[in-house]
Amino acid sequence: TAQHETHGFQTEVKQLLQLMIHSLYSNKEIFLRELVSNAADAADKLRFRALENDSLYEEDGDLGVKISVNKDAGTVTVADNGIGMTRDEVISNLGTIAKSGTKDFFSKLSGDSARDSQLIGQFGVGFYSAFIVADKVTVRTRAAGAPADEGIEWASEGEGEFTIAQINKPARGTEIVLHLREDEQEFLDDWRLRSIVSKYSDHISIPVQMYKEEVPERDGPDGEKIPAEPGKWEVVNKATALWTRDKSDITDEEYKEFYKHISHDFADPLKWAHNKVEGKTEYTSLLYIPSKAPFDMWNRDQNHGLKLYVQRVFIMDDAEQFMPTYLRFVKGLVDSNDLPLNVSREILQDNKITQALRQGCTKRVLGMLEKMAKNDADTYQSFWNEFGNVLKEGPAEDFSNKEKIAGLLRFSSTQADTDAQTVSLADYIERMQESQDKIYYVTADSYQAAKNSPHLEIFRKKGIEVLLMGERIDEWLMSHLTEFDGKSFQSISKGDLDLGDLDDEESKKQQEAAEKEVEGVIERAKAALGDKVVDVKFTHRLTDSPAVIVADENGMTTQMMKLMQAAGQ
Ligand code: ADP
Ligand code: MG
């Protein structure tokens, strides 16, 4: 008999299990989606590895998932013939959470189950969702290429621990047996399971099969005999890779479910774009914009990028070569007809086809955002609130799309008294005063600080709108953005601000008179401050404050200096 070793779950897994069982109750059927999704991933991984080593198929190349029910035992089994797992893989995949941002996630939980279940959804539940409906889960798996006696059995009741044993498993792949809880027996119903599969897993590219029990011989309506039908496996999903299908045949629901499968996100996407490109380079792209930023959005090491397929064959996850960093929130896939099947990350790095695909995908995303901004301002605003600060990295990174990206930016401004970033540069230009030729802005540590900047006084007085920038990234953004729609940007805290035609004759005269009056004061201030300053000047920009510190026209702004100091420069 097998030797069972007991292992403890990682603390976070224990917490996740507790939370999940209690807060995902109203959405419990998703366990099947998660398990089928994993089986499809396992098939993809096997196909990829078999490109180099055909023998991994072990003469069984028809990859699929089988779902079966044992009413007497009260179990549902999900079995695949995908890549399988080794002992070490089982222990780490089904005993820990490898995801980046895990710590951050757990620190955000509040104990309020409605809020937390939302958060868990965003975090993704995966395999552990099996415990929503099962009080015991047994996993039997054997990795492709490993001998039959290196099968592994993992079992757990979803509390603190799991057991591991070595078993004999001739069939390659993974079999997951759910021992349903007393009050979850509804999932033993064939019809119920079929409807869940078609609701959530129609788009899965491998066949999902369910066993149809034999129907005994029976009497027809006119007393004739209807012959018995033997039991058989039936394919219950469409089993074609969704992105290869015609756009017009795909429903929104299918697109949304497919998104959840590839992104491991729980929430619906905000928007998507599906395109087949023919011609010099041939590829299909399916790109999604999530509705919520993930927990590790700001972690630069975070995995991002698209799923790469070559001629329908899965090649790799997180191919970041196809998306610029400032669009790292985009999820989706590209399926290329031109790249070689044995393509590696190294080959992708310096490759003409990669370049073309990246440009194409970038254009698609920017186009999708432009369209959203134009036709559906509310949705665009919710996108901006989640991802705007990432998009602000764009002008520095992507010179060729600078103007397009600038058109997508949104800011706070003196026009509306709120920190909500809703003003586009086009809005600003439309409201510019007749003789105004510059876009004025101020950067500061926060929206509050920007809004209270003494530099604003003269602009308020003259009724000139100023963009208020209080995000860390804004300074970086503005050092790469020099103009938009032919209008140049002007920081109101830099150097001598010439308001040009915006100053009328009358006030110019007043200023000259005032300047004479304070001459002595300026001299005394210069003497007192000495080397600490470059210059002390008279200004007419202040209306209430007596003095202000400004940066040199050619130098860094004070905000940039603070950033550099913080970075230890
Ligand atoms: P995710 O799918 O987001 O990675 P899951 O919790 O669903 O997270 O699964 C955790 C890991 O367990 C997977 O990444 C995979 O490595 C492994 N795994 C789960 N199910 C299977 C399976 N059927 N075959 C092979 N590996 C699996
Ligand atoms: Mg999964």
Side-chain angles (χ1 to χ4, degrees):
T1 63
Q3 194 88 39
H4 287 266
E5 284 171 22
T6 301
H7 294 249
F9 281 122
Q10 182 194 22
T11 319
E12 284 81 5
V13 176
K14 275 189 265 182
Q15 275 175 284
L16 182 68
L17 284 166
Q18 277 305 310
L19 276 163
M20 214 166 42
I21 295 165
H22 292 111
S23 52
L24 285 183
Y25 205 71
S26 56
N27 206 0
K28 55 197 173 184
E29 63 192 25
I30 53 96
F31 78 90
L32 196 59
R33 167 183 84 193
E34 297 298 324
L35 298 182
V36 171
S37 169
N38 285 347
D41 288 345
D44 272 350
K45 286 178 198 159
L46 176 59
R47 274 202 202 102
F48 173 66
R49 291 256 311 278
L51 289 173
E52 285 215 319
N53 179 5
D54 211 24
S55 71
L56 290 178
Y57 281 133
E58 304 171 19
E59 276 152 37
D60 173 19
D62 291 333
L63 305 185
V65 200
K66 286 180 169 158
I67 303 174
S68 53
V69 163
N70 181 335
K71 291 212 159 94
D72 298 333
T75 58
V76 173
T77 299
V78 180
D80 67 62
N81 57 352
I83 188 88
M85 284 178 273
T86 63
R87 182 178 186 279
D88 287 350
E89 285 166 345
V90 170
I91 293 175
S92 82
N93 292 338
L94 311 184
T96 62
I97 305 173
K99 222 171 267 204
S100 60
T102 302
K103 260 218 172 67
D104 196 28
F105 166 73
F106 282 98
S107 72
K108 284 204 169 82
L109 295 171
S110 63
D112 171 59
S113 68
R115 256 202 71 215
D116 289 350
S117 68
Q118 260 261 309
L119 286 176
I120 295 169
Q122 268 171 269
F123 184 72
V125 290
F127 166 79
Y128 300 110
S129 64
F131 288 100
I132 306 174
V133 297
D135 49 17
K136 183 179 176 194
V137 177
T138 311
V139 178
R140 296 199 187 83
T141 185
R142 200 245 311 151
D149 63 0
E150 282 183 21
I152 297 295
E153 183 177 280
W154 176 103
S156 175
E157 294 176 4
E159 276 159 8
E161 48 201 30
F162 60 90
T163 60
I164 288 281
Q166 190 159 338
I167 57 164
N168 197 55
K169 188 172 186 299
R172 173 199 67 231
T174 305
E175 177 185 295
I176 295 166
V177 185
L178 310 176
H179 304 260
L180 296 179
R181 293 175 191 279
E182 199 58 59
D183 47 355
E184 304 298 348
Q185 303 291 312
E186 63 182 284
F187 294 108
L188 294 174
D189 182 60
D190 183 74
W191 184 84
R192 177 93 166 96
L193 291 176
R194 277 170 198 250
S195 71
I196 302 173
V197 171
S198 56
K199 180 165 171 197
Y200 296 109
S201 306
D202 233 3
H203 58 79
I204 293 285
S205 56
I206 53 172
V208 178
Q209 294 182 291
M210 287 190 61
Y211 195 75
K212 186 163 186 286
E213 294 294 336
E214 103 169 12
V215 185
E217 188 188 63
R218 59 206 188 281
D219 291 331
D222 301 322
E224 81 280 19
K225 290 278 177 224
I226 300 176
E229 292 165 36
K232 60 171 194 255
W233 288 100
E234 282 184 335
V235 177
V236 294
N237 65 335
K238 289 207 176 78
T240 347
L242 178 114
W243 68 94
T244 64
R245 289 165 49 195
D246 227 31
K247 259 164 66 161
S248 55
D249 291 343
I250 307 174
T251 65
D252 284 0
E253 277 317 308
E254 287 178 302
Y255 276 121
K256 288 179 190 171
E257 281 310 321
F258 187 73
Y259 165 76
K260 291 175 190 172
H261 166 58
I262 59 167
S263 67
H264 305 245
D265 190 354
F266 207 76
D268 284 342
L270 197 64
K271 271 270 166 5
W272 57 87
H274 180 192
N275 293 94
K276 264 195 186 96
V277 178
E278 277 158 6
K280 230 172 74 193
T281 43
E282 295 201 349
Y283 65 96
T284 301
S285 63
L286 176 51
L287 306 170
Y288 289 94
I289 295 173
S291 50
K292 283 263 172 239
F295 290 97
D296 47 4
M297 190 78 227
W298 296 104
N299 176 0
R300 294 204 137 256
D301 307 326
Q302 172 230 11
N303 291 339
H304 60 92
L306 305 179
K307 252 173 143 56
L308 173 65
Y309 287 77
V310 172
Q311 296 164 35
R312 320 278 146 87
V313 180
F314 168 76
I315 304 294
M316 66 179 81
D317 279 310
D318 309 321
E320 68 275 3
Q321 292 83 353
F322 298 102
M323 254 319 132
T325 316
Y326 73 93
L327 297 178
R328 62 180 172 277
F329 49 83
V330 174
K331 306 274 186 195
L333 64 86
V334 277
D335 186 348
S336 162
N337 271 349
D338 310 309
L339 286 167
L341 275 166
N342 64 354
V343 67
S344 63
R345 281 185 201 268
E346 289 66 45
I347 296 175
L348 281 181
Q349 207 60 51
D350 215 4
N351 181 298
K352 278 218 176 70
I353 301 169
T354 311
Q355 293 303 328
L357 264 56
R358 178 190 173 102
Q359 274 170 21
C361 291
T362 304
K363 226 177 90 194
R364 287 285 171 213
V365 175
L366 295 177
M368 173 162 43
L369 293 174
E370 276 175 340
K371 212 164 121 193
M372 198 199 299
K374 193 161 157 250
N375 302 334
D376 188 356
D378 288 350
T379 309
Y380 187 75
Q381 194 60 47
S382 99
F383 158 78
W384 181 262
N385 296 343
E386 289 294 315
F387 300 110
N389 281 337
V390 184
L391 203 65
K392 284 178 184 170
E393 296 171 14
E397 187 185 347
D398 187 353
F399 192 79
S400 63
N401 287 307
K402 213 182 219 181
E403 187 83 1
K404 244 190 205 331
I405 301 164
L408 292 167
L409 300 173
R410 296 291 181 270
F411 300 99
S412 308
S413 99
T414 49
Q415 224 259 342
D417 218 3
T418 156
D419 62 351
Q421 297 172 12
T422 56
V423 176
S424 72
L425 295 174
D427 292 342
Y428 181 97
I429 289 175
E430 211 176 280
R431 289 194 289 259
M432 273 171 47
Q433 300 200 358
E434 214 161 303
S435 49
Q436 185 183 346
D437 61 351
K438 289 198 169 75
I439 302 172
Y440 294 106
Y441 70 93
V442 61
T443 52
D445 283 337
S446 65
Y447 165 77
Q448 277 307 327
K451 186 181 130 175
N452 294 321
S453 165
H455 297 298
L456 282 173
E457 290 170 8
I458 186 77
F459 291 86
R460 285 235 160 86
K461 192 172 140 205
K462 290 182 177 291
I464 302 170
E465 182 171 2
V466 176
L467 301 175
L468 303 173
M469 307 190 187
E471 306 280 351
R472 272 184 83 114
I473 182 77
D474 288 332
E475 189 72 31
W476 176 249
L477 166 69
M478 296 318 290
S479 64
H480 289 88
L481 209 56
T482 46
E483 59 167 56
F484 177 75
D485 197 13
K487 306 274 187 295
S488 59
F489 286 94
Q490 173 70 53
S491 162
I492 63 165
S493 61
K494 260 187 173 182
D496 269 337
L497 190 66
D498 180 8
L499 287 178
D501 292 344
L502 290 166
D503 272 344
D504 52 73
E505 273 311 306
E506 184 60 24
S507 56
K508 269 189 191 146
K509 269 195 201 126
Q510 282 178 5
Q511 283 157 22
E512 273 158 32
E515 192 164 355
K516 283 235 162 63
E517 237 171 80
V518 295
E519 251 171 14
V521 180
I522 301 259
E523 289 315 314
R524 287 215 303 278
K526 273 189 191 165
L529 293 169
D531 284 349
K532 293 194 184 105
V533 294
V534 176
D535 203 357
V536 179
K537 288 181 184 166
F538 172 77
T539 181
H540 62 267
R541 282 156 56 182
L542 301 176
T543 57
D544 298 326
S545 313
V548 64
I549 298 171
V550 298
D552 195 19
E553 176 68 52
N554 302 311
M556 290 184 273
T557 61
T558 35
Q559 178 65 8
M560 191 73 157
M561 283 184 206
K562 280 189 209 157
L563 269 178
M564 300 286 269
Q565 275 164 5
Q569 304 252 334

